[in-house]
Amino acid sequence: MTATGVLQILGFFLVLLALTKPLGLFMARVYEGQRTFLHPVLRPLECLLYQLGGIKEEIEQRWTQYAASLLSFSLFSFLFVYVIQRLQAILPFNPQGFTTKKTTPDVSFNTAVSFMTNTNWQAYGGETTLSYFSQMAALTVQNFVSAAAGMAVAIALVRGFARRQGTTIGNFWVDLVRGTVYVLLPLSLIGALLLCSQGVIQNFQAYTTATTLEGGTQVIAQGPAASQIAIKQLGTNGGGFFNTNSSHPLENPTPFSNFFQTLYILLISAGLTYTFGVMVKDTRQGWALFATMSLLFFIGAFVCYPAEQAGNPILAKLGIQTGATIGQPGGNMEGKEVRHGIAPSALWAVATTDASNGSVNSMHDSYTPIGGLVLLFNIQSGEVIFGGVGAGLYGMLLFVVLAVFIAGLMVGRTPEYLGKKIESKEVKMAMVALMACAASILMFTAISANIDFPKDSYWNPPGAAIANTNNGGPHGLSEILYAYSSGTGNNGSAFAGINVNTPWYNLTIGLAMLIGRFLIILPMLAIAGSLVGKRYVPSTSGTFPTHGPLFVALLAGTVIIVGALTFFPALSLTPIVEHFLMEAGQLF
Amino acid sequence: MIKEFMPGLRLMLVFTVLTGLMYTGLVTAICQVLIPDRANGSLIRVGDQVIGSELIGQVFTKPEYFHPRPSAAGSDGYDAWASSGSNLGPTSQKLADRIKVSVEAFRQENPDYRGPIPADLLTASASGLDPHISPDSARAQAPRVAKARGRSLSQVEQLIKELTENPDLGLLGDPRVNVLRLNLALNERFAERLEEPEGNAGCASVPMADKPLDVSRLIVYSSLARVFMFRILK
């Protein structure tokens, strides 16, 4: 590790910490329908949206209606994205004349599910596949609304804890509109302009042909990127405009744009912990969640960064410098950009897997085994370290339910959280969500590691599903495991060497994304519906306080232990064994 | 259930117009008015001819130019229509073989440099379009370039020093040298041929693009953007 590397990580965290309270407070006011400084400007827009959508602002929904609204919205989201891709050849803003040859039914299905579930897994390469119209009218839109839908679910769950003996948990449409109008749109607009000032492109031109200094020809991709990149980071979507996402210099041109984008990954999720505190009328509870997340964040960052800075002993033996000096970065630079260097790349990788963002500024496939292990584990443990917008908060509250349940078991008391008794229904629902995700990751991986197809078959032209990997040995299995972890976790990043653009992978990863989105959201809304009707139990001397360091340790421990118990066998076959093989100089 | 259905369809239509078309259009309009150079890809022109983008690396193989990092973008590298990393893992035979070949080639092309090989120089970047190399990677090639251009090593090293970009805000990122700008500066300052006298080379002088980061400009832009946003949404 270098001093500037450590400083960059600490500095990043301090900025995030400083923004948590003001943003959290603002979001609490937005979702509780109170006036904010943006209301004079944006309230008319909000009202217009209700009018056009046929929504009655003051009517609240039970959890079942809330869930049905979310499902219907997701269905239309899916259909819109699917149809636009399939029709892009006859739609406007298509200067490169992209046809639908590459947006086949299976790719379009995968992409539609991917953007609707806030995963933004990309089986296609942006600059070679999609027209500008598809990028903005299909994908940018989902970047906004799938994020707003996730935030809405989190807010509904918080209402479940905060309200006493109620029946309703808010109105999905109202939460959706407010999140988009007051939080996502203004911050994206600022972000897009800032990014463009750094050199992220924003135009509708055809690609530029340049004659290089040595006389060669270079076609430079163009398009409205900045507007999409801002919301891609802010809404923890992560779907890049270009194939290589935020490692592409036109998507992330400077170290400052890199810092800013990393900040945007975790900004809203960090803020939501404070929003939670405000809404349950005890901000210490919000800070306890923030502290747990920060602890796990630092563990990940300071395991991943040193591993990447130490570099690859195999390359060192071949004569590549791995120690950092003042004039060169050292470490594992395969798959990393010089302008970012090791620490900001590792920091980004940790942040993007802490959250369900999935954008990358370096290629995770080329990470050292221990660096890659951190990323895999971050995703598999549920992406609750700040996490996706909304998804991080409701995911962490799922672990809270488990943690207080475990604590209750230890002392033989009915567990409580925020004055609500946590009973069998809540714990069952939390377990459904947890087990559905674990099963999706492990079973799809196991099947893909074994399933055989004839060569040139429709389902998987390369033959057996393992033939799609780009690396041999344990690293090949890591690629498959990472793909299904990323899909189920709605992350969207990849060990990108694997060719996932075949009907087999497009379909199964699509299913994994659906499981990871809806089999968490629905149980969480059911918990909200169950909690909201419960009476408040005043705390007594026997109540386990949920705002102190003991609770933070218990919660962090629950996240790590549940993740480790579930995934240790799979991880020991992948990055862990690869680490020892790398140290021994074994190649595949 | 129908009650929950219709708002879904109607809102999707409205959001497609608002967040897809209007938002993207608004950002494009502001950027094209305020910062067209940046918004259009930071292109570098010599006369009418676009010779590349300041932000996108390009292929250099001649000894009198500094060479960029290996690239996995497209079949020949630096294909700015097909960004890609190598995606080779740490225990990949292909990676080890590639590095072995490029180490040998590098040593052969740069016989006068005997120091260690910087970490970035022979590893492929994430995008395959990395416009930069580290200052050490530039210095490692300096003897070759100086020889090919008939200049002293110190002249070339001085140029590297001048063109080294420091971390943004003094902290963010690593020091780096933009290969295209460095090579343009070579053409501008030093004649390409050994025999030719100084300053008579064929290439026109190229104006340097602005420094990528200027905080005061950022602040002005973002406040301008706010004003614009308020106006338009009202």
Side-chain angles (χ1 to χ4, degrees):
Chain A
M1 292 194 286
T2 64
T4 51
V6 174
L7 271 177
Q8 287 185 74
I9 295 175
L10 295 179
F12 167 80
F13 179 77
L14 286 179
V15 174
L16 185 68
L17 177 66
L19 292 172
T20 294
K21 185 177 168 180
L23 181 64
L25 199 59
F26 172 76
M27 288 193 289
R29 295 184 70 89
V30 165
Y31 283 110
E32 295 194 316
Q34 296 161 356
R35 274 186 82 79
T36 65
F37 71 100
L38 288 180
H39 269 67
V41 190
L42 294 177
R43 177 71 183 163
L45 178 65
E46 184 194 355
C47 295
L48 180 69
L49 288 180
Y50 294 146
Q51 225 169 28
L52 295 173
I55 294 151
K56 298 192 178 95
E57 190 184 5
E58 63 282 1
I59 290 182
E60 291 235 330
Q61 297 172 315
R62 292 168 180 277
W63 84 265
T64 44
Q65 295 166 313
Y66 201 96
S69 304
L70 181 132
L71 288 177
S72 98
F73 188 68
S74 299
L75 176 70
F76 285 113
S77 298
F78 170 83
L79 290 175
F80 269 60
V81 179
Y82 185 86
V83 169
I84 289 174
Q85 286 179 88
R86 299 286 295 145
L87 295 181
Q88 71 169 0
I90 54 167
L91 291 168
F93 296 111
N94 188 8
Q96 293 312 120
F98 287 121
T99 61
T100 50
K101 212 169 98 189
K102 285 187 176 174
T103 50
T104 55
D106 62 294
V107 176
S108 304
F109 162 79
N110 184 283
T111 308
V113 169
S114 170
F115 280 77
M116 171 263 277
T117 57
N118 197 250
T119 310
N120 297 26
W121 172 266
Q122 293 169 298
Y124 60 90
E127 67 267 45
T128 52
T129 314
L130 292 181
S131 74
Y132 298 158
F133 188 81
S134 300
Q135 293 266 21
M136 60 182 181
L139 304 189
T140 305
V141 175
Q142 287 308 313
N143 276 291
F144 278 97
V145 294
S146 69
M151 290 158 73
V153 172
I155 296 297
L157 180 62
V158 174
R159 291 195 187 108
F161 281 107
R163 291 181 178 176
R164 291 163 194 189
Q165 288 173 289
T167 51
T168 58
I169 55 171
N171 181 320
F172 173 74
W173 307 116
V174 172
D175 290 339
L176 182 76
V177 166
R178 286 184 183 158
T180 308
V181 168
Y182 292 102
V183 183
L184 298 176
L185 265 177
L187 283 172
S188 299
L189 201 54
I190 294 169
L193 298 176
L194 242 162
L195 289 175
C196 190
S197 79
Q198 295 296 296
V200 180
I201 51 175
Q202 182 71 28
N203 60 63
F204 291 110
Q205 297 162 6
Y207 295 177
T208 305
T209 305
T211 306
T212 65
L213 223 46
E214 284 200 346
T217 303
Q218 191 181 40
V219 178
I220 299 171
Q222 298 281 4
S227 54
Q228 190 173 322
I229 305 317
I231 182 62
K232 147 194 139 184
Q233 300 303 85
L234 187 67
T236 60
N237 296 282
F241 195 85
F242 299 109
N243 187 38
T244 50
N245 210 290
S246 279
S247 72
H248 196 296
L250 293 179
E251 191 158 329
N252 188 6
T254 64
F256 180 78
S257 73
N258 186 67
F259 174 84
F260 184 75
Q261 289 189 34
T262 322
L263 185 67
Y264 257 32
I265 294 177
L266 297 182
L267 182 63
I268 288 185
S269 300
L272 277 174
T273 60
Y274 194 83
T275 307
F276 167 74
V278 173
M279 288 178 72
V280 301
K281 301 197 172 53
D282 183 358
T283 48
R284 292 173 311 174
Q285 304 289 348
W287 286 119
L289 297 189
F290 183 90
T292 311
M293 292 169 169
S294 306
L295 176 66
L296 294 168
F297 164 79
F298 278 118
I299 294 174
F302 284 105
V303 174
C304 183
Y305 170 42
E308 289 310 301
Q309 188 65 68
N312 182 345
I314 295 170
L315 299 196
K317 230 173 261 167
L318 293 172
I320 304 290
Q321 210 172 354
T322 51
T325 61
I326 233 160
Q328 58 91 40
N332 175 24
M333 281 301 285
E334 180 74 17
K336 292 191 182 66
E337 302 277 302
V338 168
R339 64 191 177 283
H340 303 323
I342 301 281
S345 296
L347 172 65
W348 179 303
V350 168
T352 197
T353 51
D354 279 346
S356 64
N357 185 291
S359 61
V360 296
N361 75 346
S362 53
M363 288 299 130
H364 293 181
D365 213 349
S366 298
Y367 268 49
T368 60
I370 297 299
L373 173 69
V374 171
L375 312 182
L376 259 171
F377 191 74
N378 275 344
I379 297 175
Q380 291 170 341
S381 59
E383 295 162 334
V384 291
I385 310 167
F386 299 107
V389 291
L393 182 61
Y394 63 69
M396 191 50 113
L397 287 171
L398 181 157
F399 280 103
V400 166
V401 168
L402 288 185
V404 295
F405 174 66
I406 292 169
L409 283 182
M410 288 194 275
V411 296
R413 258 180 76 99
T414 309
E416 291 160 18
Y417 185 59
L418 309 175
K420 294 286 175 99
K421 279 201 158 68
I422 303 296
E423 292 167 305
S424 96
K425 182 171 181 193
E426 287 77 33
V427 178
K428 271 185 201 155
M429 285 298 152
M431 286 312 295
V432 164
L434 216 56
M435 286 169 57
C437 292
S440 167
I441 293 172
L442 294 173
M443 289 172 67
F444 278 128
T445 303
I447 295 171
S448 285
N450 289 290
I451 197 164
D452 206 1
F453 296 97
K455 219 167 163 47
D456 298 320
S457 63
Y458 169 76
W459 285 104
N460 203 46
I466 52 168
N468 300 39
T469 56
N470 187 42
N471 286 275
H475 200 82
L477 185 58
S478 297
E479 287 182 345
I480 300 175
L481 179 64
Y482 197 104
Y484 289 108
S485 302
S486 174
T488 307
N490 291 170
N491 186 281
S493 65
F495 272 15
I498 185 172
N499 167 23
V500 287
N501 197 356
T502 67
W504 165 255
Y505 280 104
N506 276 331
L507 185 73
T508 50
I509 293 172
L511 287 177
M513 292 190 277
L514 289 171
I515 292 171
R517 176 79 163 178
F518 295 107
L519 285 185
I520 294 188
I521 283 185
L522 294 177
M524 286 293 118
L525 286 177
I527 291 180
S530 158
L531 285 174
V532 78
K534 292 190 183 193
R535 107 181 50 222
Y536 177 78
V537 188
S539 59
T540 63
S541 59
T543 309
F544 178 48
T546 52
H547 54 74
L550 185 62
F551 178 74
V552 169
L554 178 74
L555 185 55
T558 307
V559 173
I560 292 174
I561 290 167
V562 169
L565 284 176
T566 317
F567 294 103
F568 183 76
L571 292 171
S572 61
L573 289 174
T574 44
I576 295 176
V577 71
E578 192 192 7
H579 172 73
F580 293 109
L581 290 170
M582 178 185 81
E583 293 292 330
Q586 174 78 46
L587 295 171
F588 295 93
Chain B
M1 273 320 206
I2 294 297
K3 214 172 56 191
E4 276 80 39
F5 227 65
M6 281 317 288
L9 177 59
R10 291 168 66 167
L11 267 189
M12 257 318 289
L13 280 168
V14 175
F15 277 131
T16 301
V17 173
L18 177 70
T19 61
L21 306 179
M22 287 171 68
Y23 160 74
T24 310
L26 177 64
V27 174
T28 311
I30 296 174
C31 291
Q32 288 293 339
V33 169
L34 290 182
I35 29 178
D37 173 50
R38 293 268 161 222
N40 293 330
S42 309
L43 301 175
I44 300 180
R45 286 186 173 80
V46 174
D48 283 343
Q49 180 75 50
V50 176
I51 59 150
S53 161
E54 185 201 343
L55 298 172
I56 300 282
Q58 47 183 252
V59 179
F60 286 101
T61 51
K62 295 180 182 164
E64 65 266 29
Y65 285 123
F66 284 92
H67 298 174
R69 305 174 67 193
S71 159
S75 46
D76 303 322
Y78 290 95
D79 181 346
W81 194 340
S83 59
S84 177
S86 76
N87 286 312
L88 294 172
T91 54
S92 161
Q93 182 77 53
K94 271 189 235 165
L95 175 64
D97 291 347
R98 194 197 79 205
I99 297 279
K100 205 185 265 173
V101 170
S102 29
V103 167
E104 275 163 23
F106 176 81
R107 291 297 183 194
Q108 214 157 31
E109 286 167 17
N110 299 275
D112 299 324
Y113 174 78
R114 287 185 194 83
I117 297 174
D120 59 304
L121 186 55
L122 301 181
T123 47
S125 65
S127 61
L129 304 173
D130 195 341
H132 298 108
I133 52 178
S134 67
D136 274 8
S137 291
R139 279 190 284 269
Q141 303 181 49
R144 183 197 74 225
V145 173
K147 208 178 202 176
R149 291 184 179 255
R151 299 289 153 163
S152 73
L153 183 59
S154 61
Q155 276 176 304
V156 175
E157 282 185 335
Q158 178 59 31
L159 192 66
I160 295 173
K161 205 170 160 193
E162 280 171 34
L163 284 174
T164 298
E165 296 167 45
N166 288 315
D168 289 0
L169 307 173
L171 179 67
L172 302 174
D174 280 338
R176 59 206 181 275
V177 185
N178 186 305
V179 180
L180 179 56
R181 282 169 66 175
L182 182 60
N183 285 335
L184 281 168
L186 280 176
N187 281 356
E188 190 186 329
R189 292 259 191 108
F190 307 140
E192 282 196 39
R193 294 268 166 260
L194 264 167
E195 299 80 23
E196 280 177 27
E198 200 168 340
N200 276 358
C203 266
S205 89
V206 178
M208 285 294 148
D210 291 342
K211 274 268 173 205
L213 182 83
D214 180 346
V215 178
S216 63
R217 234 173 34 159
L218 293 183
I219 294 167
V220 173
Y221 288 152
S222 56
S223 51
L224 268 176
R226 270 192 186 187
V227 173
F228 266 102
M229 181 181 73
F230 288 167
R231 286 256 170 83
I232 285 158
L233 290 179
K234 251 179 192 167

